[in-house]
Every structure is written in C-alpha cells, then in structure tokens.
Amino acid sequence: MPVGGGHRTGRYPGSPRGRGTKRVARTYNVVTYGCQMNVHDSERISGLLEQAGYVRAVPTDDTPDIVVFNTCAVRENADNRLYGNLGRLRPVKDKHPGMQIAVGGCLAQKDRGDIVRKAPWVDVVFGTHNIGALPVLLERARHNAAAEVEILEALDVFPSTLPTRRESTYAGWVSISVGCNNTCTFCIVPALRGKEKDRRPGDILSEVRALVDEGVLEVTLLGQNVNSYGVEFGDRYAFGKLLRACGDIDGLERVRFTSPHPKDFTDDVIAAMAETPNVCHSLHMPLQSGSDDVLRAMRRSYRSERYLGIIEKVRAAMPDAAITTDIIVGFPGETEADFQRTLDVVREARFSSAFTFQYSKRPGTPAATMDDQLPKQVVQERYERLVAAVEEITWAENKRLVGETVEVLVAVGEGRKDERTGRMSGRARDGRLVHFATETADGESLAGQIRPGDIVHTTITYAAPHHLNADGAPVAHRRTRAGDAAEAGRSPRTPGVLLGLPTIGAPPVAPAPAAGCAAH
C-alpha cells in the first residue's frame, strides 16, 4: 500500500502494537480518491493527525498505525475500489494488532454504516461534515475496541478552521466555500456536501496571506461552485471583489480558481481576471454537453449560446486565455444529433484541454433512474470521437505557442519521464504543462540549481496535445522562497482550532515508566 513520507522512530508505551519504554508517535497514511476538494480535505486530515501527535509514515512502511481512506462517490466504481483496498488491508491488520483503519469522504457520507457491515475490520467511519472529529473517533475506537461511525447531516465547523499539512511548498488550495446549491441530475455532491456555505472574505484573505508568508507563490481558490461565492451573505459580486483583493497581497504571484458554473458567471469576474495582474489567464469552466436538450435533462441552467458567449467575452478581455472544460458523453437520452452539437461547441470553443467522461450511473442521482440509458458500445464510440476531436484542437492550440517564451513555476511529479530525459517540469501561467531542458548552451547542467517552486522562463520548441516541450537552455531562472522551502524539506502548515481534540503521541518530557506498567 502506498504511504506518505515521514519519520518513524518506534512505539510509545501503551501502544496496542507493542509495549516498550520508548515514547514515540504513532504513524499514519492517508489515501485519497477524487477531486481537488478531497485532496485539500486530506491535507486537513494530515494536519489534524499531526497536531494530535501522529507522524506520517515513511514510504517504505506498509504497516502504518493508522490508514485513512478519503473517498469519492462521484467516480465510476468508487465503492469497488474502496472495498478492494480494504480487503487487501485486512490480512495486514490481522498480523498487526492495534492497527486502525478509518474511512471518510463522500462515499462514507453516502454508505454510512454499510461500510462497517461490509468490512467489519474498519475502526472508524466519518463523513464530509465532521473531518475534525477523526482523532477523537480513533481514540474512542481504540479505547472501546469497537467501530465508531459518526455521520453528521450538516457542517459542524468550517473545514478551513482545522489545522492543515500542505503537500506543496509553492502552491496551495484555499477553500472559499463548501457545498453546492445546484441540482444537476448526474451529480450526488450536493447530497453529500450539503448546501453552499461561504467563508467571510477576511478569513479567506488571512489564510492566503499566511500561505504567502510561508513562501507559497500560487493559490487556487476552491469551491464546488466557486463563482456563486457570496450567495450566503447576499453579494453576487463577491467573487470578483475577492479576486481583486488577492491582487493586493504582496508576494502572491499567481491566483487560480476552480470550478465556476456558467450560470453564475458575471462580467465583473472577467474584468477582475483581466485587470488583476496576479490572476492567471486560465479558466476551467465545465460544459458537460453542447446540446441544449441534454443540458436541460442534466438540469444545467444555461444553454450552449450562453456558454460560448462567456468564452467570447473572456477572449476579448484576455486573448491569451487558456480555457479548459469537463464533458460528459452518453447521458441518458443523448441522440447522435445531441452528440454532434457537443462536437460543434468543442470546435467553436477551441479548448486548450478537456476532461472527458463516459456517463455511468451513480446510485442516488435522478439520472440513474432515467429512461433511455445508452448502450455501452454507443457511449464508447462517441467518447472515442470526442477525444479525437479534442486532441486535434488542443494540439493545434499548443502549436501556436512554439517559439513563445513562457514563465514556468517548477513543480514536483508533473513529468513522469523527467529523470530519463534530463528535463524538469512545471506549469505556465495559463496552466499548460511544460517540460523544459536544464542544460545551458555550453552544456552546464542546472538541475541541481533549479528547485521546485522556482520560476523559469523558457522558449517552447515542440507541442503535443497535452504538453509543451522547451528543449533549449532556460532564458532565465529566479530562485524563490518556495524553492528554499522545498530544498529545506519544509511543508507549509496552517494552524487551526482543535476544539478539545486529544493528543495521541508521546508526552514531551515525562520519564519512561517502569517495566510492567500500562499506560492509560
């Protein structure tokens, strides 16, 4: 089982997995499925566990004391994937008494007690609304030697008030809202995340400043429906104002956001993007379908003309904007004419990238019970045509950048072939993936000098449908505080309020107990 990085030094007294005289923290690993919201929730889970005294397991440790699965209910076969992994973990747990398994996230919110019924070796099940309770539930399950299932129907505390262990030294997620007020027929998220809850602008900006103070250069504002931000306190222009306020934060070089809904997109947001220098000219705006009939069946409250109109305004204000999207193929009742309309919109929109999905039933959604579910072979054939059309367009759009010099924020793990090719990778300001050479014109390698989080300017020499290459020497390299943090192995941590959660790890200075004494 994959685990995260960290440091393990032994066991602490009273640990069910071995009593001894050393006091050390228990280890943990978090396994994440799903969207950016889940990724950020996992950062909070890690922050909670570390503030409660746990340490992250080293990558070679396949038996951490705690394994947390942060699940998704949107992706196809999400439940099969979870139960498969739980099944593989059962014999590991049987051999290591005291090991604990927790399941949280959207699938836990949906399946609730069924998880313990299907996998009785699970110790804790918690939902999307009570992430902060995890350390308490783990301790209670350990003390009572029984599974703890706690699912709340509404948010008990806004997640961003919880401590967070950030995974990146240079880029950070910042939630501006949780939940969703839309009723899309294919989506179960509103039922699992609840109604939209908005943070106050001052709290958001304080978190952004805290990240920047730790060296973070790029922030992504995150919400299920990010541009409806402000609905809870009655300001439909709140999101544009928030973007402009981010422009006043010294040291913040890039601002992104995901994902906006076309129905809530206002002209003031386009103006804020164009007029605020650190807001990136990149926009991810889900289309889902180009057919108005299908959009109506999906209960998406916009039509293709409205969607294309937004894109036209964005490009008029920002000709260099890169626009990406999500598209679902094979929604119930979709005809060949409907699908052709999707292809038409794709060709007119000229997306720089698209996440394409084959529709599949999600239990609990209205679409799952609709008539005219399409045969798998029809959906597959349309999907392949869509992918071919998207790649033709994205390749052509990428080729337009050959010869252009772009600014790249150096990243970790973006280029799987980097080690073999001698390149490094990162994201341009418009979000495109760039693989760049690390040798100067006279053959000197810069690989040891360029760090994740640094800024490189480089000239594009080759374009592929999903990435760009820059095979010449970098034009410029700027070392940053984010790069310093990466070199030092520091991860940003944002504090939170634990509200009485217990500390699980070793006492700081107390003497070791005499042999034979049991800790309580």
Side-chain angles (χ1 to χ4, degrees):
M1 167 157 305
V3 294
H7 180 60
R8 168 187 284 207
T9 55
R11 306 286 175 200
Y12 70 95
S15 165
R17 293 179 60 196
R19 302 178 186 273
T21 58
K22 286 187 178 180
R23 280 190 175 89
V24 294
R26 303 183 76 201
T27 57
Y28 77 90
N29 177 42
V30 181
V31 180
T32 308
Y33 309 128
C35 65
Q36 298 97 328
M37 191 71 76
N38 269 24
V39 172
H40 191 26
D41 282 347
S42 289
E43 291 184 327
R44 297 187 182 108
I45 290 169
S46 295
L48 279 162
L49 292 174
E50 292 192 7
Q51 189 156 329
Y54 296 86
V55 296
R56 181 176 286 193
V58 296
T60 54
D61 183 1
D62 58 359
T63 60
D65 296 282
I66 310 293
V67 179
V68 183
F69 291 95
N70 188 16
T71 64
C72 171
V74 175
R75 310 289 173 154
E76 187 173 6
N77 297 321
D79 52 349
N80 292 338
R81 188 177 181 188
L82 170 66
Y83 291 115
N85 282 328
L86 289 176
R88 284 188 286 274
L89 201 56
R90 182 178 189 176
V92 178
K93 183 179 178 183
D94 288 343
K95 293 178 182 177
H96 298 85
M99 185 181 195
Q100 289 185 294
I101 301 171
V103 178
C106 290
L107 192 64
Q109 187 78 21
K110 182 173 76 73
D111 284 2
R112 305 178 180 229
D114 287 348
I115 292 174
V116 173
R117 182 178 58 80
K118 294 178 181 177
W121 54 96
V122 169
D123 299 276
V124 170
V125 178
F126 63 104
T128 59
H129 298 309
N130 63 326
I131 290 173
L134 176 59
V136 168
L137 295 173
L138 287 167
E139 183 65 7
R140 194 185 298 160
R142 186 193 67 80
H143 181 272
N144 297 337
E148 292 288 332
V149 179
E150 183 176 287
I151 305 291
L152 301 186
E153 297 303 326
L155 205 63
D156 60 344
V157 60
F158 200 96
S160 291
T161 64
L162 302 173
T164 305
R165 184 194 194 279
R166 307 281 176 165
E167 296 299 325
S168 170
T169 62
Y170 49 86
W173 305 105
V174 174
S175 288
I176 69 171
S177 65
V178 294
C180 182
N181 293 340
N182 296 316
T183 57
C184 302
T185 55
F186 57 82
C187 184
I188 199 169
V189 166
L192 303 179
R193 293 276 182 178
K195 293 293 185 181
E196 181 173 327
K197 300 286 290 183
D198 294 333
R199 293 176 74 188
R200 306 307 294 183
D203 294 337
I204 296 167
L205 295 171
S206 292
E207 184 177 350
V208 174
R209 290 189 189 98
L211 287 170
V212 172
D213 287 345
E214 295 211 25
V216 167
L217 303 182
E218 176 181 295
V219 159
T220 300
L221 304 177
L222 188 64
Q224 301 291 161
N225 184 9
V226 71
N227 59 329
S228 66
Y229 172 73
V231 66
E232 195 177 25
F233 48 85
D235 185 356
R236 68 187 301 262
Y237 298 108
F239 185 60
K241 293 174 185 176
L242 184 63
L243 291 177
R244 292 183 186 276
C246 287
D248 295 330
I249 298 177
D250 291 337
L252 180 59
E253 300 192 19
R254 296 183 175 188
V255 179
R256 304 187 188 280
F257 57 90
T258 192
S259 291
H261 195 294
K263 78 175 178 63
D264 297 306
F265 219 100
T266 53
D267 290 349
D268 70 296
V269 170
I270 297 173
M273 291 177 66
E275 296 166 8
T276 309
N278 62 0
V279 176
C280 295
H281 293 177
S282 62
L283 173 65
H284 182 80
M285 187 168 64
L287 168 65
Q288 306 303 5
S289 175
S291 163
D292 289 352
D293 288 341
V294 174
L295 289 172
R296 195 174 291 110
M298 288 179 168
R299 215 176 290 159
R300 301 282 288 181
S301 49
Y302 59 89
R303 301 297 173 254
S304 59
E305 183 178 0
R306 158 75 171 156
Y307 186 94
L308 290 170
I310 295 170
I311 290 180
E312 184 178 357
K313 289 179 179 180
V314 169
R315 291 210 166 109
M318 296 166 283
D320 61 337
I323 299 172
T324 61
T325 196
D326 298 333
I327 303 172
I328 298 172
V329 174
F331 189 79
E334 180 190 74
T335 65
E336 177 63 24
D338 292 325
F339 176 68
Q340 285 296 330
R341 182 56 185 147
T342 295
L343 294 180
D344 291 342
V345 174
V346 166
R347 294 186 179 107
E348 190 169 347
R350 308 294 298 177
F351 296 115
S352 63
S353 180
F355 296 92
T356 53
F357 304 92
Q358 298 184 42
Y359 171 80
S360 60
K361 289 183 179 181
R362 296 294 183 270
T365 63
T369 59
M370 286 182 175
D371 296 331
D372 300 324
Q373 302 281 333
L374 271 61
K376 172 66 176 176
Q377 62 268 27
V378 173
V379 178
Q380 178 68 34
E381 189 271 339
R382 289 179 185 171
Y383 176 76
E384 291 171 1
R385 279 192 282 158
L386 174 64
V387 169
V390 167
E391 290 198 346
E392 178 184 352
I393 291 163
T394 58
W395 197 2
E397 291 298 303
N398 281 353
K399 285 177 180 177
R400 294 170 56 188
L401 293 173
V402 172
E404 297 289 326
T405 298
V406 298
E407 177 195 279
V408 177
L409 175 56
V410 184
V412 175
E414 294 276 21
R416 289 173 294 178
K417 300 179 182 178
D418 282 353
E419 188 173 338
R420 193 172 74 225
T421 60
R423 297 189 181 104
M424 296 181 75
S425 298
R427 294 283 170 174
R429 289 191 67 86
D430 65 7
R432 285 180 166 92
L433 175 62
V434 179
H435 305 301
F436 62 92
T438 57
E439 284 191 356
T440 64
D442 58 5
E444 178 190 357
S445 175
L446 300 175
Q449 302 175 38
I450 300 174
R451 297 91 46 91
D454 283 352
I455 296 290
V456 167
H457 287 79
T458 189
T459 303
I460 303 303
T461 57
Y462 169 80
H466 304 294
H467 69 269
L468 302 167
N469 283 1
D471 293 321
V475 175
H477 166 222
R478 171 163 59 89
R479 294 170 72 87
T480 68
R481 288 193 302 142
D484 294 342
E487 190 171 33
R490 297 195 311 270
S491 294
R493 283 171 167 79
T494 46
V497 181
L498 271 181
L499 303 177
L501 299 181
T503 296
I504 307 298
V509 289
C517 293
H520 295 283

